[in-house]
Amino acid sequence: MVEIGDSVMISSMIDIQCGKKVSINPVGNSLNGFSGDVFVTFLKPYFTDTYRPIMKGNTFTVKVAEKVAEFYVSDIEPGDYCIVEPNTVIYV
């Protein structure tokens, strides 16, 4: 989440590829008390039909109903950034 006073860098990505595999981990205790399937509940709806760009090291927040969870992009294949598309395999 960007807040007032934060520095933000925006740059164009010319040769961004579709991701083959991405590893995404929950941040800290953002899923504290959640006992369901993290992929099905949070990540699948977040990435389905959106073609989202991600970069290794990024964090992002997903809100489902009243539950908010923060995630960290720990690895991407190939490279350090990609577009998550329907054929991208997402590891949690």
Side-chain angles (χ1 to χ4, degrees):
M1 175 179 293
V2 178
E3 296 183 13
I4 294 175
D6 288 350
S7 295
V8 177
M9 182 179 80
I10 299 174
S11 60
S12 63
M13 304 287 234
I14 302 215
D15 289 330
I16 190 165
Q17 298 178 25
C18 290
K20 292 181 182 174
K21 299 176 189 175
V22 297
S23 293
I24 298 173
N25 302 313
V27 173
N29 61 357
S30 69
L31 292 176
N32 203 15
F34 178 76
S35 60
D37 185 324
V38 173
F39 175 76
V40 170
T41 304
F42 294 97
L43 298 177
K44 185 175 181 182
Y46 182 77
F47 286 110
T48 297
D49 297 328
T50 60
Y51 293 85
R52 290 187 191 272
I54 61 171
M55 189 166 108
K56 190 174 180 179
N58 277 4
T59 59
F60 60 93
T61 303
V62 179
K63 181 176 181 183
V64 175
E66 296 300 315
K67 183 67 177 165
V68 177
E70 189 174 9
F71 295 92
Y72 172 78
V73 180
S74 60
D75 199 23
I76 294 175
E77 187 181 307
D80 289 333
Y81 51 88
C82 73
I83 300 288
V84 176
E85 51 97 24
N87 294 320
T88 304
V89 177
I90 301 171
Y91 293 98
V92 182

